[in-house]
Amino acid sequence: MKQVAQKPGRIKTLKIDGRDVAGGENQVILDVAREHNIFIPTLCYIEGLSVSGGCRLCLVEITGIPKLVPSCTTRVEEGMEVFTDTERLRKYRMMMLELIFSERNHVCSVCVSNRNCELQSLARRLGMTHVRYPYRYPKLQVDASHNKFAIDHNRCTLCTRCSRICHDIEGAHTWSTMGRGINNRMITDLNQPWGETETCTSCGKCVNICPTGALFEKGKSVAEMVKKPKSLPYLLHTREES
Amino acid sequence: MTNEELNAIAKAEQESKERFEHEVCVCTAAGCLSAGGDKVKDALTGEIARQGKDKKCSVKGVGCLGLCAKGPLVAVESHGKKDKLYEGVTLEDVPAIVQTLEATETKGAAAAGLERSMDEPFFASQVKVVLENMGKIDPEHIEDYIAVGGYQTLYKALTEMSPTDVIGEVTKSGLRGRGGGGYPTGLKWSTVAKANGGATKYVICNADEGDPGAFMDRSVLEGDPHRVIEGMAIAAYAIGAHQGFIYVRAEYPLAIKTLKNAIRQAEKMGLLGKNICGTTFSFELHLRLGAGAFVTGEETALIASVEGRRGMPRPRPPYPAERGLWDCPTLINNVETFANIPAVIREGGVWFAAIGTEKSKGTKVFALAGSIVNTGLIEVPMGTRLRDIIFDIGGGIPEGRRYKAVQTGGPSGGCIPEQFLNMPVDYESLQQVGSIMGSGGMIVMDETSCMVDVARYFMEFCMSESCGKCTPCRVGTAQMYDILCKITEGHATLEDMDMLIELSDLVKNTSLCGLGQSAPNPVLSTLRYFKDEYMAHIVDKTCPAGVCKICSPAKEPVEVKS
Ligand SMILES: Cc1cc2nc3c(=O)[nH]c(=O)nc-3n(C[C@H](O)[C@H](O)[C@H](O)COP(=O)(O)O)c2cc1C
Ligand code: SF4
Ligand code: SF4
Ligand code: SF4
Ligand code: SF4
Ligand code: FES
Ligand code: FES
């Protein structure tokens, strides 16, 4: 679903965690929460890209709605009462983080993104001390066929930020997903090695937006890969200007 | 096409039918076809000619007659009355059946053994609305459908009713979506009708039918395709759409062939296309084939697939009624929902609402499968007791075995144990006992089924059908499946059981779409009613039903706290 760049629209007043806040009718709960310095964990959401709603870390509770809703896709409404940090949510978020860590092979100590990784900092911030679910230890590859970048599937969280920035902003449509369920995996073009794709412009946007050590520049060693996700708002801004 | 023309076709069909004393209807739907129904049909045609009876007897292929596992089935109508039904017909039986046709009094000895009494509860207890034409009309001939009043309802809607009237009638009927969710159909229609006036709108028929063991929608499409087309055209008129899509899984080649043919015929007769029945209303209908993923049955994933993208769900709202196909307001209903529409408009919403229960109106088609005598397709009023469906209509459990549970709702549903056999089958009651109506699959299990193994089977299904988009469903179902395997292999501990329960709760409450949200249901319902079986595997390291091969017997006796 394409997120249309919209004006905030008419002002709605609502409560987040007991605080009175205001947001535009076209804004999602997450944006309004951030504007008011209320922290909601996210992994797949990036302002300015189409939304995925896949990681489920940003779920919140709303009074009167029995289901949990993703704050990155739900628009604010007048009189809404949102809770972002209940015991139930904390429990679910922790479980989801543990599931992500159990899914692939995250060995931080030898990772290019060690100490510069959004997944890692989320785990630290949410207080994850260990993973209770059995590690699945999948056998996954590293594709280093591209002359500048590489993807290590062992560190991928399937957040699809890379594919969305490549579609929405660069327009190259290089990334997509393949395989069902636990066998889901990011691919370039029609599952060609990245270096042999015809679409990739080597712009590096996907590498910079990737929250983990899955996408990195070649030549970076352990803990050397620092991402620049902040370049996106700048990019969007300059495009609007021109 | 005007009403007079429709009547003329109907009359001509009726007359040509009356020229024959006997009409031999051979089931050529998928079930009987795989048992050789088409060969039986050819043999019957040949034999009738050989015995010189072709002036009196006609032969035609029809849709599902209901007793699918006993195929090929042959029904004989004599002098306009249903007369006999033969099951398990082989080529050798054909001469005897043809002989019996004339000797109405003295039944042919050989064929008598194959005869099914029509007074059995299997036939007598059913109420047919959706399946009213099933087994009576030849799905390949639109004239046959017109002869039983087909397309007259569309004509009536277009010429005598306003779109609001049509929606009013559907709302009055209380019809609820048969695709699983049970959402009120009238409400959905009026939402789409009201969505941004003037915008392009679409109608989609969901014929993805991915539940294992379910074949209701396939049978309707194979046996009475025009009914669904007529229902869709009425819906399009009601909401103001001019284009529609039927999304069928590619694994249904016969349904696809039948539909293609039906759409072509309807177009030729001016019942689809421009200026239908001479009115200003136009409606084009297209087929879209799905690659057969369970998740593409989910409406937003289905829409993505029709648009040519990978069939993955997206968060709702916005609902398709607001922003659906190519971001236009879209009405999406299930095959059986559309198949109810001609009856609702023809007989009126009040008539329909008189069938069924307070909150679940009308009838429901079920596919009976598993450990049950009469495997096949049935239709009963909502609220029919589970016991009546399984033991009267279904004929009970074969070989004197004991009933254990019935699984309804497929991989999203639950297992219902013996103590609830007297409950009425409707949306609310099923939910109360931890299952769902789903699309109408009923898999009956007896004492030889292990409930942990059943839960493991459905979890494996959900795990491999998960699209992988969201964390809880993608990773959670895989972890749950591993735990269930551990239990059935006898390696699990009580901590594993806690983890299974905890994961069920997570996956149910945090997944993005209905697949993940309902994936834990089979586990939760078996845990609720058959916890002792889980315990037997974990603590005693035995499988009470003798299904699971537990390789490591308990090393030393395990103390059970009482
Ligand atoms: C995983 C999943 C699979 C589904 N499969 C089907 C299906 O095969 N057929 C169907 O009609 N609806 C299916 N649905 C329900 C549809 O999303 C949708 O609610 C339905 O088609 C609406 O039609 P109705 O209102 O007539 O029931 C499925 C839902 C989910 C979550
Ligand atoms: S991607 Fe992040 S969490 Fe994974 S190994 Fe690297 S630093 Fe650790
Ligand atoms: S480098 Fe640019 S073009 Fe290439 S895959 Fe990444 S975002 Fe797409
Ligand atoms: S490679 Fe990075 S950005 Fe792409 S899906 Fe994996 S974790 Fe997300
Ligand atoms: S719940 Fe499962 S099928 Fe549905 S979006 Fe999430 S991963 Fe895909
Ligand atoms: S941030 Fe909302 S679902 Fe991922
Ligand atoms: S397929 Fe022939 S009776 Fe159902």
Side-chain angles (χ1 to χ4, degrees), chain A residues 54 56 92 102-103 133 136 181, chain B residues 466 470 474 479 482 505 510:
Chain A
R56 315 304 282 169
Y92 285 159
S102 78
E103 183 180 16
Y133 306 116
R136 307 188 62 81
Chain B
S466 156
C470 69
R474 183 182 70 236
Q479 294 285 14
D482 284 356
D505 175 58
T510 60

Side-chain angles (χ1 to χ4, degrees), chain A residues 70-124:
Chain A
S71 57
C72 68
T73 66
T74 310
R75 295 195 180 177
V76 295
E77 274 168 37
E78 185 61 42
M80 222 178 205
E81 225 186 344
V82 183
F83 295 93
T84 72
D85 196 27
T86 63
E87 195 176 325
R88 182 170 177 224
L89 290 171
R90 280 198 295 268
K91 179 178 125 198
Y92 285 159
R93 282 172 191 156
M94 183 70 77
M95 289 173 77
M96 256 159 339
L97 265 186
E98 288 177 79
L99 285 178
I100 293 175
F101 275 94
S102 78
E103 183 180 16
R104 300 224 162 157
N105 304 301
H106 292 274
V107 189
C108 297
S109 54
V110 295
C111 178
V112 285
S113 282
N114 193 12
R115 278 183 280 187
N116 291 304
C117 168
E118 286 184 44
L119 180 63
Q120 195 185 45
S121 23
L122 264 181
R124 194 175 304 132

Side-chain angles (χ1 to χ4, degrees), chain B residues 36 48 73 93 168 202 237 253 270 297 310 327 361 400 414 492 494 501 533 546:
Chain B
I48 286 172
L73 269 87
D93 303 325
Y202 296 99
Y237 171 69
R310 182 180 161 153
D327 280 344
K361 304 293 189 194
L494 289 172
I501 296 170
E533 290 195 28

